[in-house]
Amino acid sequence: MIRILIADDHHLLLDGLSQALGRIPDFEVAGAAATVEALRTLAPDILPDVLLVDIEMPDGSGLSALRDLGAGHRAVIMTMHADDEHRNRARAVGARAFLSKATPLPDVAATIRAVHAGESLIDADDPDAILDRYREPSLGPDADSLTAREREILALLARGISGTADIADELYISHKTVKNHLASIYEKLRISDRTQAAVEAIRLGLGPS
Amino acid sequence: MIRILIADDHHLLLDGLSQALGRIPDFEVAGAAATVEALRTLAPDILPDVLLVDIEMPDGSGLSALRDLGAGHRAVIMTMHADDEHRNRARAVGARAFLSKATPLPDVAATIRAVHAGESLIDADDPDAILDRYREPSLGPDADSLTAREREILALLARGISGTADIADELYISHKTVKNHLASIYEKLRISDRTQAAVEAIRLGLGPS
DNA sequence: GTCACCATGGGTCGGGCGACCTATTGGCGT
DNA sequence: ACGCCAATAGGTCGCCCGACCCATGGTGAC
């Protein structure tokens, strides 16, 4: 679970990005700041794993706040003005990555994972090559031991196909087999019934859409 | 269900906002355009109920696209430069509302609902008064008949509290009462067990966070 | 004041569900 | 060739769940 603090004065982006990143199973948005002031206050308090900060904010620059926070942070800078001037200033305050606001969401997620893992993308020769290594759909840590069939059943639960017979019909297998798969799902996710399984399935991103 | 088309060249905002609005039960993001070109192509195709468009895009102005699309659309303009100059130009192409990108998400949602209902906020005397009328937490149409207690139980289900006894303990009531509430939930939402109820609860926005 | 509705609590009954166990088949790695 | 594991299927058992009844008190509408 990567704990993130987002700072951006545009609420539209701040709120949207918070929800979008929060939906990704291995991310947790630990805080959101709309001002540099809030960033300075929140960061030492919640100690996020990765900072995602905008440069331009009405009450100052996100970069100055980063400098003051010291070298202990792992920060991703995002800005509308993705030029070398800004990039150099970001590098100077110890930022690990530098993104334009035109970057697609999956790339941002991969960047955050890379920075969390200790990579520095801001002066990398081939940033895309690094990003590709962190691009996994990344279900939660609990989910990696699930088999394909088990995920399939979880996906059905997340769609509201809850009866054993309904699941069996959907997959063209015996209802006994469905119950076997469910039992191993319960064990792996440390839960005890299909309602909790449906909740977990949705949380893990196995739901529709 | 309000069908929305979003246009913004900043993918970070486009992706984040799409997911955030899509999570709101009465909204459906029918399309997302990162260019004016895409906006022109998509709008006549998917015929959204409300357009949410940025002014500044690299291949032109969102306003000119709106003008070309004719008067049949209901559009909300969002921009970083929320000055009178831009507001007047937005009004001139028939936009119904004009928002800064610093607007918080709930206000954006309320604005979209207002515009969908036929309101025009761009030259309203007291826009906040109008917004307040569209600010309902707005659960889905199925959910409006649910009582407070029923929603409380749905919220517990969405958190994975699935056993009748667990729910009863949480609410300090008899397990019989829990089953009665569940029965009326099943009837109102036209479902038949608590797993489907948990899925619906999450879809309706009753989940955690 | 009456009526509708909600929250509360209770009872019965049948079927579905979860826990536990065994077993066969097929693929994959070494 | 051997072992491991996923996927398949079957069985039993006890309990929980959902369907269908009923009753009471409180609250708000008209």
Side-chain angles (χ1 to χ4, degrees):
Chain A
M1 186 70 77
I2 307 178
R3 298 176 64 253
I4 312 166
L5 172 60
I6 310 178
D8 195 305
D9 60 311
H10 294 105
H11 269 91
L12 218 55
L13 196 145
L14 184 66
D15 295 347
L17 200 54
S18 296
Q19 285 208 31
L21 290 178
R23 274 177 70 90
I24 300 177
D26 54 346
F27 287 175
E28 176 192 346
V29 178
T35 60
V36 173
E37 167 71 18
L39 172 58
R40 286 182 203 269
T41 309
L42 282 176
D45 192 25
I46 63 181
L47 293 173
D49 296 322
V50 178
L51 295 162
L52 185 60
V53 314
D54 185 21
I55 296 183
E56 301 88 3
M57 296 211 255
D59 62 338
S61 163
L63 294 179
S64 66
L66 280 185
R67 181 170 22 78
D68 298 349
L69 287 174
H73 58 270
R74 292 179 173 175
V76 176
I77 298 296
M78 52 182 177
T79 178
M80 279 177 314
H81 310 291
D83 52 42
D84 284 342
E85 161 75 12
H86 285 87
R87 175 181 295 265
N88 290 334
R89 284 169 49 201
R91 193 186 349 248
V93 298
R96 305 294 180 90
F98 183 81
L99 296 177
S100 157
K101 286 196 180 175
T103 311
L105 192 59
D107 287 16
V108 177
T111 301
I112 292 172
R113 287 195 201 97
V115 167
H116 177 249
E119 304 272 3
S120 186
L121 295 163
I122 200 167
D123 45 14
D125 289 337
D126 190 353
D128 284 341
I130 299 175
L131 278 196
D132 282 341
R133 298 209 310 272
Y134 294 92
R135 227 175 254 288
E136 335 97 81
S138 108
L139 299 168
D142 297 329
D144 53 3
S145 66
L146 291 170
T147 68
R149 205 51 155 171
E150 286 159 0
R151 289 178 204 193
E152 212 167 344
I153 288 179
L154 282 170
L156 291 177
L157 286 177
R159 283 174 40 202
I161 318 281
S162 54
T164 304
D166 297 327
I167 299 172
D169 287 350
E170 203 74 28
L171 300 177
Y172 302 105
I173 57 180
S174 157
H175 69 107
K176 292 292 186 182
T177 305
V178 172
K179 296 183 71 160
N180 285 334
H181 285 310
L182 282 171
S184 63
I185 289 172
Y186 299 157
E187 188 189 357
K188 287 178 181 176
L189 299 184
R190 291 185 297 279
I191 55 182
S192 54
D193 61 52
R194 63 190 68 198
T195 301
Q196 292 173 0
V199 174
E200 277 302 292
I202 294 174
R203 195 184 64 81
L204 291 171
L206 292 168
S209 91
Chain B
M1 186 70 77
I2 306 179
R3 299 176 64 252
I4 312 167
L5 172 60
I6 310 178
D8 195 306
D9 61 312
H10 294 106
H11 269 92
L12 219 53
L13 196 146
L14 185 65
D15 294 348
L17 200 55
S18 296
Q19 286 207 32
L21 291 178
R23 274 177 70 89
I24 299 177
D26 54 346
F27 287 176
E28 176 192 346
V29 178
T35 60
V36 174
E37 168 71 18
L39 172 58
R40 287 181 203 270
T41 309
L42 284 176
D45 194 24
I46 63 182
L47 293 173
D49 296 322
V50 177
L51 294 162
L52 184 61
V53 315
D54 184 22
I55 296 184
E56 300 87 5
M57 295 210 256
D59 62 336
S61 163
L63 295 179
S64 66
L66 280 186
R67 183 172 17 81
D68 297 349
L69 288 174
H73 58 272
R74 292 179 172 176
V76 176
I77 298 297
M78 53 183 175
T79 179
M80 280 178 312
H81 310 291
D83 52 43
D84 284 343
E85 161 73 12
H86 285 86
R87 177 182 292 266
N88 290 334
R89 283 168 47 200
R91 193 187 348 249
V93 298
R96 306 292 180 92
F98 183 82
L99 296 177
S100 157
K101 285 195 180 176
T103 311
L105 193 59
D107 288 17
V108 178
T111 301
I112 292 172
R113 286 195 202 97
V115 167
H116 177 250
E119 303 272 3
S120 187
L121 294 162
I122 200 166
D123 45 14
D125 290 336
D126 190 353
D128 284 342
I130 299 176
L131 277 196
D132 283 341
R133 296 209 311 271
Y134 293 93
R135 223 175 259 286
E136 332 98 81
S138 106
L139 301 167
D142 297 330
D144 53 2
S145 65
L146 291 169
T147 68
R149 204 50 155 171
E150 286 159 0
R151 288 178 206 195
E152 211 167 346
I153 289 179
L154 281 171
L156 290 177
L157 285 176
R159 282 174 41 203
I161 318 281
S162 53
T164 303
D166 298 327
I167 299 172
D169 287 351
E170 203 75 28
L171 301 178
Y172 302 104
I173 57 179
S174 158
H175 68 105
K176 292 292 186 182
T177 306
V178 172
K179 296 184 74 166
N180 285 334
H181 286 310
L182 282 171
S184 62
I185 289 171
Y186 299 155
E187 188 188 356
K188 287 179 180 175
L189 299 184
R190 291 185 298 280
I191 55 182
S192 53
D193 61 53
R194 65 190 68 199
T195 301
Q196 293 172 358
V199 173
E200 278 301 293
I202 294 173
R203 195 183 63 80
L204 292 172
L206 292 168
S209 91

